[in-house]
Structure formats: C-alpha cells, structure tokens
Amino acid sequence: MGTGTDPGAPRRLENLTAPEVAERIGAGSVLVWPIGAVEQHGPHLPLSVDHVIAEEAGRAAVARCGEEADAWLLPTLSVSKSDEHAWSPGSLWLSAETLLAVAADMGRSVAATRAERLVFLNAHGGNTALLAVACRELRRRFGLRTFLVHPFVPPDHGGRPSSSDELGMGIHGGHDETSVMLHLRPELVRMDRAVRRVPEGLARQTHVRFGGLTSFGWLSDDFSPDGHIGDPTGATPEAGKRLFEAAVGLVSEQLVEISSFDFGR
C-alpha cells in the first residue's frame, strides 16, 4: 500500500488521498502536529535541532501507537517563535502574532476533517506559552479538543534535565539536546567545539531562575556570546538513545490517553 497505512509505517496524513481522508479520519482520530524550530544552538550543534527532534519523535510515537490511538502525523512546522535567538544570523523565526495565526489556520484545516483532536507536539521551549494560548483559542473557535505535548518538557516550564552537573540550567544546547542529536544526527554535531556555559549565578537564585516561581524575559545571548545554556561536554550517543526512547514512550502514552479524553465525563 502507498497510503501511509502499511503495518509499522508512520501514518502520515499527507500520504492519504482525499477520498481516503474522508474514509479513514474520523471523530476519534488524533492528528499530531510536530513543531520545531530553526535557530542557533551554540557552536557545536546545527540550527535544525528542534526540527529534528520534533519530526523524529512524532514519527516514532505515531508508528508505535498509531493503530491504538488512531493517530496520524501532520507535516512538521520547522520555523516557529525563535526571536530569543534573532541576534544570531541563520536563526529563522515567526512573530508571536504569526505563529498564533498559523496555529489558527491549522485548526481551521483540521476542523474541515472529521477529526476532533489536535496535538501540538512541541520541541521548542520558546513556543510553549504561546501554544498553550492557542490550545484554548482553537477549542473556542473550532470546537476541537486541543493538547500540548513535549518530547522533553522545557526546564523553565517544569522539566528536569538529566544531568545534575548543569544545576537545572541545561535549557538550550546542553547535555540532553546534544546527546539526542549524537543519537539522531551524529554527523551534524561538532563535539570539538562543545564548551560549558552554565549560568551558575542564576542557579543560586531561589525564585528568579529557570523553573523558579518568578518568570523573566531573556535572550539567549544574555548568558554568554556562544548562545547555548548548559554543558554539552559530557554528552554521549548512548545517553541520547536512552533519552529519546524514553521520550517516545512517554509521548505514545499521552497520545493513547488523548484518544479517549472527554473532559472527565
């Protein structure tokens, strides 16, 4: 079959014909929209980190639980709200207004099918607050059940990096992202350029810190001219494999739960 419904193959909406969409996409279908970014990740990682993680996590999770959750993969949005990296040439970004408009347009498109569930699978922390707003907007405007899922929850939104050496500050281009890229795209990683950039003064703060009670505005070059925040020097492909496989398992569990979600009724 060439429709994206082969056993074990990713279930991609774009590979269906228009009549097949009408036949196969129903009210219980879960449409998964990977959202990444193209932005600087320090001197050792490519701009594509968040795009790669979103795409690969979405593909693997839908391949794992697609039949059980009736999950279908939408094309990845590679460019998103990355203006915290606008100082670095090569970073591509949408304004907050544009990303909200794109999310609304996607909601309108999904609402034209019979699917009632749309998942933002977001791999860029700079999108998180905005996509939470979009979830409610699309619920109100189109009646969709909307969800925000992360392969890795950003530390400034409650996630916990795996490396204690980063003091909870490994939020961008640090140990975990570098390890995952060593697993997924090793040919794009320059470990010879990896350096530690942990804002230890910020880590000593009680409230005004990543993951603290007090949020604050920041740009990635506020912490160092390199633009990454964390310590990639101890990253390994083995750690990346463990982290990625755990993320895919967790995303798959969430998609299965989403497939039957009905506001507790």
Side-chain angles (χ1 to χ4, degrees):
M1 296 175 62
T3 62
T5 58
D6 304 316
R11 294 154 53 100
R12 292 183 179 270
L13 186 79
E14 68 205 75
N15 290 341
L16 298 175
T17 65
E20 286 171 335
V21 170
E23 293 166 5
R24 296 191 58 82
I25 304 300
S29 299
V30 179
L31 301 190
V32 181
W33 188 24
I35 301 175
V38 176
E39 60 188 32
Q40 72 79 29
H41 273 76
H44 60 294
L45 289 177
L47 305 178
S48 62
V49 170
D50 295 345
H51 159 75
V52 168
I53 292 174
E55 169 72 18
E56 293 294 339
R59 179 197 59 77
V62 168
R64 178 178 297 193
C65 73
E67 294 293 334
E68 181 179 2
D70 193 16
W72 294 85
L73 196 65
L74 298 176
T76 299
L77 178 67
S78 296
V79 177
S80 59
K81 186 181 178 296
S82 296
D83 53 329
E84 67 268 39
H85 308 290
W87 59 270
S88 178
S91 295
L92 308 177
W93 58 279
L94 306 179
S95 68
E97 295 82 4
T98 299
L99 183 56
L100 279 175
V102 170
D105 287 345
M106 181 62 80
R108 183 182 299 110
S109 300
V110 168
T113 74
R114 291 189 295 155
E116 296 179 353
R117 292 172 172 82
L118 173 62
V119 176
F120 300 132
L121 180 59
N122 175 46
H124 170 49
N127 294 329
T128 298
L130 201 64
L131 291 176
V133 172
C135 278
R136 182 164 292 172
E137 284 287 302
L138 271 59
R139 173 66 185 155
R140 177 180 60 81
R141 293 176 61 179
F142 306 114
L144 296 170
R145 291 179 168 92
T146 49
F147 307 88
L148 176 56
V149 173
H150 296 87
F152 303 98
V153 178
D156 51 339
H157 290 275
R160 293 289 180 268
S162 67
S163 173
S164 59
D165 290 341
E166 293 178 307
L167 309 176
M169 300 292 107
I171 75 160
H172 184 70
H175 172 274
D176 290 0
E177 281 190 322
T178 304
S179 292
V180 171
M181 286 299 287
L182 283 169
H183 168 58
L184 295 175
R185 300 287 193 276
E187 71 279 6
L188 299 181
V189 181
R190 294 292 304 270
M191 287 302 293
D192 58 313
R193 298 180 179 178
V195 293
R196 178 182 174 88
R197 290 289 184 262
V198 174
E200 299 190 9
L202 190 64
R204 290 192 291 270
Q205 298 282 103
T206 300
H207 302 300
V208 187
R209 53 174 289 153
F210 295 124
L213 294 176
T214 305
S215 300
F216 60 99
W218 57 271
L219 305 176
S220 55
D221 61 344
D222 285 334
F223 305 96
S224 83
D226 287 323
H228 66 290
I229 308 165
D231 186 358
T233 58
T236 66
E238 294 78 18
K241 184 174 188 291
R242 290 193 301 270
L243 287 164
F244 182 74
E245 290 180 350
V248 170
L250 185 57
V251 169
S252 299
E253 290 177 10
Q254 291 175 81
L255 293 180
V256 170
E257 192 165 304
I258 284 167
S259 70
S260 60
F261 175 80
D262 195 22
F263 299 99
R265 294 199 296 253

